[in-house]
């Protein structure tokens, strides 16, 4: 009897996991990413983002935070807010503290409340 209950619990968990669909929030949003200077060096960098909808209209009014992490453990992430500088154009200023490979994560909320999450790799950041 106990084994049967355990089997039912496992099946219920598996069914719940298999029926979970990932959120399609912001799936129609195109994000273009640029980082300056090139080549990227340790120190201050400017991250520019362009957000457009599926019909290529600029997305204004988004709230975006940029997070930069080393691709290996041991370095604390750096965060910076993005400022809207034009229709669908956003900029962030942050400082990369170490040479190597970085991952830039965008965390945002669109004007309609949808969440925006994107990831960009920034490889081979050079010493200053």
């Amino acid at each position: 009897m106990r084994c049967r209950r355990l089997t039912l619990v496992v099946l219920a968990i598996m069914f719940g996991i298999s029926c979970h669909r990932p959120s399609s929030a912001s799936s129609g949003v195109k994000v273009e990413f640029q980082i300056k200077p090139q080549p990227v060096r340790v120190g201050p960098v400017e991250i520019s983002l362009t957000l457009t909808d599926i019909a290529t209209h600029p997305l204004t009014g988004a709230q975006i935070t940029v997070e930069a992490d080393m691709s290996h453990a041991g370095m604390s992430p750096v965060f910076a807010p993005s400022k809207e500088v034009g229709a669908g154009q956003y900029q962030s200023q942050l400082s990369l503290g170490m040479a190597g490979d970085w991952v830039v994560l965008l965390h945002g909320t669109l004007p309609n409340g949808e969440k925006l999450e994107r990831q960009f790799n920034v490889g081979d950041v050079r010493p200053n």
Side-chain angles (χ1 to χ4, degrees), residues 28 30 32 38 49 59 84 126:
K30 180 179 178 186
E32 293 179 10
Q38 286 291 328
L49 308 168
L59 287 174
E84 189 168 2
R126 299 177 184 183

Side-chain angles (χ1 to χ4, degrees), residues 2-125:
R2 185 175 184 183
C3 185
R4 187 174 178 184
R5 284 185 194 162
L6 180 60
T7 301
L8 290 173
V9 169
V10 169
L11 287 173
I13 292 171
M14 288 175 54
F15 179 77
I17 292 171
S18 66
C19 289
H20 174 70
R21 294 183 186 203
S23 171
S24 61
S26 75
S27 61
V29 175
K30 180 179 178 186
V31 179
E32 293 179 10
F33 173 90
Q34 292 183 338
I35 186 168
K36 293 178 186 175
Q38 286 291 328
V40 182
R41 297 194 175 280
V42 170
V45 297
E46 178 182 278
I47 295 176
S48 298
L49 308 168
T50 302
L51 275 62
T52 55
D53 65 15
I54 199 162
T56 68
H57 298 113
L59 287 174
T60 60
Q63 300 296 315
I64 301 171
T65 299
V66 175
E67 173 185 354
D69 296 291
M70 291 292 297
S71 62
H72 60 79
M75 183 78 174
S76 296
V78 291
F79 296 89
S82 286
K83 180 180 177 184
E84 189 168 2
V85 294
Q89 305 287 318
Y90 300 83
Q91 286 185 348
S92 295
Q93 309 287 326
L94 52 83
S95 185
L96 303 178
M98 184 178 201
D101 296 329
W102 288 77
V103 176
V104 174
L105 305 166
L106 307 181
H107 309 287
T109 304
L110 302 175
N112 65 2
E114 290 183 61
K115 297 296 181 190
L116 175 70
E117 301 285 333
R118 293 290 193 279
Q119 175 178 319
F120 299 94
N121 295 321
V122 179
D124 195 27
V125 172

